[in-house]
Amino acid sequence: MQKVALIGYSGHAFVVADTLLQCGYELIGYFEKKPTKSNPFNIPWLGFEKDSDFENKVHGINVFPAIGDNTIRAEILYLLAKYNLEIATVISPNANISKYASVDKGTIVCQGACINAFALVKRGVIINTGAIVEHECVIYEFAHIAPGAVLAGNVTIGEKSFIGANTVIKQGISIGKNVVLGAGSVVLKNIPDNEKWVGNPAKRI
């Protein structure tokens, strides 16, 4: 049984913790600025990841950035890489991942998600509950694919972009960096960096 510590412990972290336990990990605790009021998994507070003794506390164990915000999750992963720590990859036993797909460290693939052949999922991505990532999609670092989103084949998602729940992206579409797509959007056009789109068909706002 591998041991793992969480960075962050609220909201999204509870999904991460549940999935880790399903995968057979042992949760040894969490890092936050201060102890949280809600502790549903009854795990100890280990301190703050920016404390001077952080590296010693996590030496020899896995860590995972259990933070939903793309920008903060990126900052945490950069910190973990600085210390050359072991970063877990969390894949629900109820997810369906092709053996020809690639999922990088610090990524979570939640229950009911499907990632098909030759899809490439980079570091620190969230593939949320029931999302579908079809063949040859590329999802760059720190993106978040929300529950029920569908990426048809050969879709590219840029770094730190957020794809809202139940969004559908047409085959071959390219989404830039730091893009936000509202829930239920239907995307038929390429979208450049740093834009927000919503609707069916999706339009810039």
Side-chain angles (χ1 to χ4, degrees), residues 103-119:
V103 178
D104 208 343
K105 292 183 177 181
T107 286
I108 181 170
V109 182
C110 297
Q111 295 193 70
C114 178
I115 302 178
N116 275 327
F118 306 112

Side-chain angles (χ1 to χ4, degrees), residues 7 11 56 107:
I7 311 295
N56 291 331
T107 286

